Amino acid sequence: MAVLGSAAAAADDLPRAVFARFCGGCHFAGAEEGGVAIDRMLAATDAARPVDPGSAEHAGWVNLWKNLRAETMPPADEPQPSAAERRRMLEFVARDVMGVDARRPDPGHVVLRRLNRVEYANAVRDLTGIQENLRDDLPADDTGYGFDTIGEVLSVSPLLLEKYVDLAARVGDRVAAAAVVTADGYPPHLRRLFAFGPRPADPAARPDHLRRTVRRLAERAFRRPADDETVARLVAVSEGAIAAPGGSFEAGIAAAVTAVLASPRFLFRVEDDAAAPPGGGSVPIDEFALATRLSFFLWSTMPDDDLFAAAAAGTLRKDLGSHVERMLRDRRSDAFVENFVGQWLQTRDVTALPFNLRTVLGVRDHVAGEKIFSTEVRRAMRAETEMLFAHVLRTGLPATELLLGRSTFLNEPLARFYGIAEVFGDEMRPVTLPDHVPRGGLLTHGSVLVVTSNPTRTSPVKRGLFILDNLLGTPAPPAPPGVPPLDEAAAKLPQATAMRDIMERHRRDALCASCHARMDPLGLTLEGYDAIGQWRPEAAAGAIETAGRLITGEPFADVRELAAVIAGPRRRDFHRCLVEKLLTYALGRGVEYFDEPAVDMILEQAGPDGRLDRLVQGVVMSVPFQMRRSSAATGPVQHAPPPTAAEDRP
């Protein structure tokens, strides 16, 4: 095919005319708004050879493609392409420029993944039956793309390896101390470890009994069948502990526990191909690796016996849907809710964020403020958001119910904090909100409002960024260097200046205007809630202006209308954003341009209502979840971003 800039190319073969018509005023013929010259990009691209994924040109095309898909370009006040024209532009960029082919899906590449500290602690508990808070004995994990499941940032230092060895020895000692045989056998919590019972009285039966016990331990720990050589080495470790002075069968198994817990095959998630084709390419992961991906995704721990048995029988992939349904009904999926929601919506941070309560609440001292914004209220805020997510997930409701629902989960301390009557007791329970109550949906949850505030005031920038990043999937670019923070701009204005006026003055800088046009209307509509999530008296009196407009043109009068816009006209964006977050969490890598066909397939299979459980099912059924690049395949390398903190951006 000819170079795209060639005048001989027919209009049917390239979308130059469409780009020129809708983008020409800003990005053609010397106009390079935002540093983007689409006419030059077209001229430099050869449709017969996709753009190099590692090049600056490729990054430019990906950025263009994302803006076209999100309908943030062309701007809302400019002529818009029809749905068919926009689809043609998107197909051209994806297929002809970036080389994305839905018929030959690329599952991407995930580096060898260490268990994060939550997964490690849960796996040790489920393997051994020992209940001990190992998570707090390990350092906090780094995050990438907002999650601590990202393979490339889960590094291992020599100090961390020493810690793992120490913890393995400690757990082994606990096993040896707790494994006391009574008339009823071993204690119930240890019976999974001693699955074949105490040591036989017949000496001739002991070697086989030991070998079977050790093999089962190794297979559960390594999450796949153990080879004979590995089992033999572990049996030798056990026999040495049994033969030592004061040794016993229980001490031998405890020694094997110590050995497997310190093994790289326990600490890392090792995946094998089901079948590697000649010359490389995409390959299904084997069923044991699939069981491991599934269990750590939905339970944050190792596979249970049912998953392991299905993988051993080769039926897991065939019956995957029923396994997902079973796992979501199981209370162990609370770990998925806690760990996914805790990072997607940042509810993990609610209990620890510092606030100057004297300033925020106008009280005489911090102690008085803590009586209002107490630890109990903070914990209830986190529980409210996570319980709503779990309810929508387990009852088959549309994901948009997270935004629109008039039901939530409260206890008496949180209801009192919100100003809602007739809720009694400390237990969280479902509550239907009266129409006059200014609550309903994630955007009004105290957890969301708290994690998007500063210690002394609200932050429309943080709140706007939160909505763009986590609900619409259209994050704003980083702030340009050299622009003073918002607090510096606010310090030069009279103390009573409204936040909307402060923001208006701040974005007069041309460098800031385009990003703030995306963020500010979203954050300012939440100004009715103070920094700790209480409804302001001024808002109740109608003295706070909350109307705004999305960058895509949809107007809203208040937070309820904003939620309705996200769940209505922008529903596809919300569903796509949620699927991408789920994929990132599940796969341990960021979602890339070549994942677009998989995301589209998940959305299509979930249907227009986008039930949350079907979105989760779709992630499990997707090519990226069930396959990987074979060792012989080549392709783009994933790079996780460094950890970032949410700050006010100018």
Side-chain angles (χ1 to χ4, degrees):
M1 186 176 290
V3 174
L4 294 178
S6 170
D12 288 343
D13 295 330
L14 57 99
R16 180 182 177 86
V18 181
F19 277 105
R21 186 172 358 132
F22 294 106
C23 310
C26 298
H27 304 289
F28 275 62
E32 300 183 15
E33 188 167 325
V36 178
I38 296 178
D39 55 347
R40 293 213 309 267
M41 292 168 64
L42 286 165
T45 304
D46 185 345
R49 186 177 65 254
V51 177
D52 179 3
S55 66
E57 291 82 3
H58 188 273
W61 278 112
V62 170
N63 186 56
L64 171 62
W65 171 69
K66 287 182 177 180
N67 278 288
L68 281 170
R69 188 188 66 189
E71 299 180 8
T72 54
M73 288 294 168
D77 55 356
E78 297 288 342
Q80 297 294 310
S82 67
E85 287 170 327
R86 189 179 293 274
R87 186 167 56 251
R88 176 71 184 97
M89 296 164 80
L90 287 168
E91 288 174 352
F92 163 75
V93 176
R95 184 187 61 210
D96 297 336
V97 177
M98 298 191 295
V100 176
D101 186 351
R103 297 167 301 178
R104 293 185 297 173
D106 182 353
H109 172 66
V110 179
V111 300
L112 189 67
R113 290 172 60 183
R114 171 176 64 80
L115 303 186
N116 65 31
R117 63 177 186 162
V118 171
E119 295 167 340
Y120 173 86
N122 290 346
V124 171
R125 176 202 65 205
D126 292 342
L127 176 68
T128 66
I130 296 297
Q131 300 283 342
E132 188 159 340
N133 184 12
L134 302 178
R135 180 178 65 181
D136 291 346
D137 289 317
L138 293 167
D141 296 298
D142 287 334
T143 62
Y145 302 100
F147 295 101
D148 63 7
T149 58
I150 305 303
E152 289 191 348
V153 301
L154 290 171
S155 58
V156 181
S157 66
L159 187 61
L160 184 57
L161 280 177
E162 290 182 13
K163 174 62 74 173
Y164 281 132
V165 171
D166 290 343
L167 290 178
R170 192 168 95 197
V171 172
D173 290 343
R174 286 286 310 276
V175 168
V180 177
V181 182
T182 66
D184 296 325
Y186 291 109
H189 67 284
L190 290 181
R191 289 173 188 169
R192 72 190 72 176
L193 188 58
F194 295 92
F196 305 106
R199 192 182 195 189
D202 181 3
R206 290 175 182 174
D208 181 64
H209 177 266
L210 176 61
R211 189 177 300 105
R212 287 194 299 146
T213 303
V214 168
R215 181 180 292 278
R216 188 180 189 279
L217 167 66
E219 290 181 341
R220 294 309 186 268
F222 302 154
R223 303 174 287 275
R224 63 179 50 253
D227 59 90
D228 291 340
E229 183 180 356
T230 297
V231 173
R233 288 200 299 268
L234 290 171
V235 166
V237 170
S238 293
E239 289 175 338
I242 293 171
S248 64
F249 170 69
E250 291 73 25
I253 299 303
V257 166
T258 298
V260 299
L261 293 186
S263 169
R265 285 197 276 177
F266 176 77
L267 297 174
F268 291 87
R269 289 167 54 177
V270 180
E271 297 182 345
D272 288 340
D273 301 339
S282 299
V283 293
I285 57 175
D286 75 1
E287 296 219 344
F288 293 102
L290 182 59
T292 296
R293 282 195 180 188
L294 184 58
S295 63
F296 280 106
F297 175 35
L298 296 183
W299 287 349
S300 297
T301 190
M302 57 185 284
D304 66 354
D305 287 346
D306 287 347
L307 284 177
F308 198 88
T315 61
L316 177 59
R317 189 170 265 107
K318 176 174 66 72
D319 299 330
L320 202 51
S322 61
H323 283 285
V324 173
E325 292 175 3
R326 172 183 73 87
M327 294 176 73
L328 290 178
R329 289 193 303 268
D330 193 294
R331 300 310 302 182
R332 281 173 286 187
S333 63
D334 288 346
F336 164 63
V337 174
E338 178 183 345
N339 296 318
F340 174 70
V341 176
Q343 296 177 87
W344 170 42
L345 300 177
Q346 301 168 29
T347 55
R348 280 185 176 182
D349 302 334
V350 172
T351 56
L353 286 174
F355 284 91
N356 185 330
L357 296 178
R358 292 180 59 189
T359 301
V360 173
L361 291 170
V363 293
R364 65 182 182 276
D365 56 42
H366 193 77
V367 174
E370 286 189 331
K371 290 181 179 179
I372 299 171
F373 188 48
S374 64
T375 300
E376 290 74 18
V377 167
R378 290 182 184 234
R379 288 173 179 164
M381 284 180 171
R382 175 175 182 173
E384 176 190 19
T385 303
E386 293 174 0
M387 291 177 77
L388 175 63
F389 184 91
H391 172 71
V392 173
L393 175 68
R394 290 173 177 147
T395 55
L397 292 174
T400 51
E401 192 70 12
L402 295 169
L403 301 170
L404 300 177
R406 294 300 298 162
S407 296
T408 191
F409 290 82
L410 303 173
N411 63 2
E412 185 174 355
L414 184 56
R416 187 188 314 116
F417 183 84
Y418 284 166
I420 298 173
E422 304 299 321
V423 178
F424 304 105
D426 292 334
E427 184 179 351
M428 301 290 291
R429 81 288 309 271
V431 175
T432 299
L433 300 169
D435 287 340
H436 70 275
V437 171
R439 302 282 170 179
L442 292 177
L443 291 177
T444 66
H445 279 202
S447 61
V448 169
L449 298 165
V450 164
V451 301
T452 54
S453 294
N454 286 332
T456 59
R457 61 168 176 83
T458 59
S459 173
V461 172
K462 283 185 178 179
R463 289 177 174 179
L465 276 173
F466 181 93
I467 294 170
L468 289 175
D469 286 351
N470 297 302
L471 302 181
L472 290 170
T474 55
V483 180
L486 180 62
D487 284 336
E488 290 185 20
K492 301 176 183 178
L493 300 173
Q495 187 172 359
T497 304
M499 180 59 72
R500 183 174 289 270
D501 294 331
I502 294 173
M503 300 298 297
E504 175 64 32
R505 302 231 185 156
H506 187 62
R507 64 173 173 262
R508 287 177 184 173
D509 190 310
L511 291 173
C512 301
S514 62
C515 290
H516 278 277
R518 296 187 183 199
M519 299 182 292
D520 293 0
L522 305 176
L524 288 169
T525 202
L526 298 176
E527 274 298 287
Y529 304 90
D530 67 16
I532 57 173
Q534 286 193 314
W535 184 241
R536 299 182 195 264
E538 308 95 297
I544 296 178
E545 184 180 351
T546 58
R549 182 182 298 270
L550 261 65
I551 192 69
T552 47
E554 296 86 353
F556 50 86
D558 53 28
V559 64
R560 285 191 185 180
E561 289 195 8
L562 172 58
V565 168
I566 297 173
R570 309 313 304 180
R571 180 173 63 238
R572 182 82 172 182
D573 293 341
F574 172 62
H575 287 159
R576 182 180 299 278
C577 178
L578 179 52
V579 167
E580 291 183 350
K581 297 293 183 181
L582 287 166
L583 275 170
T584 300
Y585 176 82
L587 299 177
R589 64 167 177 83
V591 173
E592 299 288 342
Y593 68 94
F594 50 77
D595 293 309
E596 182 69 8
V599 174
D600 285 341
M601 183 63 71
I602 294 169
L603 295 175
E604 180 181 339
Q605 292 175 347
D609 60 342
R611 276 175 40 175
L612 182 54
D613 59 338
R614 288 179 180 166
L615 296 177
V616 173
Q617 280 265 11
V619 168
V620 174
M621 300 297 182
S622 70
V623 165
F625 192 89
Q626 295 204 32
M627 303 181 74
R628 70 182 182 92
R629 290 182 189 151
S630 73
S631 56
T634 59
V637 177
Q638 313 302 316
H639 294 288
T644 56
E647 300 176 350
D648 280 343
R649 301 186 192 181

